[in-house]
Amino acid sequence: MAASAALPAGFRELEVLAVGMVLLLEALTGLSLNGLTIFSFCKTPELRTPSHLLVLSLALADSGISLNALIAAISSLLRSWPYGSEGCQAHGFQGFATALASISGSAAIAWGRYHHYCTRSQLAWNTAINLVLFVWLSSAFWAALPLLGWGHYDYEPLGTCCTLDYSRGDRNFTSFLFTMAFFNFLIPLFITFTSYCLMEQKLARSGHLQVNTTMPARMLLLGWGPYAILYLYAAIADVSSISPKLQMVPALVAKTMPTINAINYALHSEMVRRTIWQCLSPQRRERDTAQ
């Protein structure tokens, strides 16, 4: 499929503009909130702990998703993809890798919280570093496979952003989809759900349940579930029966995850909020420097 300056099939000009504006809003919000999270971790020694390293890794992954959305937003506002087929492959790889890192990163945080609250022992630095390395190397590995021929990256129905091509629905796509989904969606979802369930059981007995144990797994399902349903449908039926507008919904939903994750995992922490406020407030910054 080649990028074209004409409007994509099934879309009016106002609809393309609307998608571009939604993507732009999602991108700027995600970049801003995750940028503040990364900035606070870099500026505050108290946040440089193994547990917070997992949150920092997630913020970096979500920043990558937001950057991917920003490129898609610019292309949508231009009404065409200006970066050619090689740019499409790079955009697909970058978006897929950071999406997988975000999903696995959420599972890593869930396991880290289970370890902290249920074993009452601090997460070791080498464990946290190994988890982060595994998340990123595994995500890069799976995202590279379509570049090597197992799976394929192509344009979304709007024609202004690129993702895993599900329009073919052939054996190559189906085998890659089910294998990738098992390792990169079902297993992280199982780890997230199980970790918080065990945490809830243990902390509820002691009366110290201070963590929302249902939100993370629910957010994974709501954020990435529409993509999973679309891909599954493409593997077993003719995806062309779904309108192009409806096919764009999973992409728009998934790109809200950087904002949701930043609020849920970072900005929900009082220490992170206090650090951001201190960094943004000149009076507090001068007072802290004087002290």
Side-chain angles (χ1 to χ4, degrees):
M1 185 188 301
S4 171
L7 288 174
F11 291 90
R12 295 192 295 253
E13 184 164 359
L14 185 60
E15 292 168 341
V16 176
L17 177 63
V19 171
M21 294 304 296
V22 171
L23 286 169
L24 183 62
L25 178 62
E26 291 176 328
L28 295 180
T29 304
L31 284 171
S32 299
L33 295 181
N34 285 285
L36 284 174
T37 301
I38 296 168
F39 178 72
S40 66
F41 288 158
C42 293
K43 291 287 291 183
T44 309
E46 292 82 0
L47 293 177
R48 296 172 196 163
T49 65
S51 303
H52 285 121
L53 178 64
L54 301 180
V55 179
L56 176 61
S57 174
L58 179 63
L60 289 170
D62 286 336
S63 295
I65 296 175
S66 296
L67 180 61
N68 187 272
L70 180 61
I71 295 172
I74 294 172
S75 301
S76 298
L77 295 177
L78 293 174
R79 296 195 313 170
S80 65
W81 178 258
Y83 309 110
S85 59
E86 292 184 357
C88 177
Q89 297 301 302
H91 186 253
F93 169 81
Q94 188 268 343
F96 201 43
T98 51
L100 295 181
S102 177
I103 295 171
S104 298
S106 298
I109 291 174
W111 182 86
R113 288 182 171 179
Y114 161 77
H115 182 275
H116 174 75
Y117 285 102
C118 295
T119 67
R120 296 298 178 183
S121 60
Q122 293 292 330
L123 190 66
W125 271 108
N126 61 338
T127 303
I129 291 172
N130 287 333
L131 273 175
V132 170
L133 288 175
F134 176 79
V135 163
W136 283 99
L137 292 176
S138 173
S139 300
F141 168 77
W142 285 99
L145 290 177
L147 299 177
L148 301 176
W150 195 20
H152 181 67
Y153 292 123
D154 207 340
Y155 301 98
E156 293 264 19
L158 192 61
T160 57
C161 50
C162 299
T163 188
L164 183 67
D165 181 19
Y166 53 85
S167 62
R168 304 183 184 189
D170 55 13
R171 183 177 298 177
N172 179 286
F173 166 76
T174 302
S175 61
F176 176 75
L177 170 68
F178 283 105
T179 308
M180 180 275 302
F182 176 77
F183 287 103
N184 295 284
F185 183 66
L186 293 180
I187 288 182
L189 183 62
F190 174 78
I191 292 173
T192 302
F193 179 77
T194 303
S195 296
Y196 283 108
C197 279
L198 294 174
M199 194 188 315
E200 182 177 19
Q201 292 175 7
K202 186 173 182 64
L203 296 181
R205 286 196 299 267
S206 63
H208 297 294
L209 184 60
Q210 299 176 339
V211 179
N212 189 330
T213 57
T214 61
M215 181 69 73
R218 195 185 309 160
M219 288 299 99
L220 275 180
L221 277 175
L222 292 177
W224 300 105
Y227 252 137
I229 294 172
L230 177 63
Y231 285 169
L232 178 62
Y233 186 86
I236 62 178
D238 184 9
V239 76
S240 62
S241 61
I242 302 177
S243 70
K245 297 173 191 174
L246 191 58
Q247 291 181 44
M248 285 301 300
V249 171
L252 297 178
V253 172
K255 287 177 174 58
T256 63
M257 288 304 294
T259 298
I260 293 172
N261 285 340
I263 295 172
N264 188 35
Y265 290 109
L267 302 181
H268 186 71
S269 167
E270 183 180 351
M271 182 183 295
V272 175
R273 292 198 305 269
R274 186 170 63 248
T275 299
I276 293 174
W277 177 247
Q278 288 175 347
C279 293
L280 296 179
S281 173
Q283 293 83 2
R284 288 199 172 204
R285 193 163 55 241
E286 290 172 4
R287 190 188 316 147
D288 293 340
T289 304
Q291 291 175 352

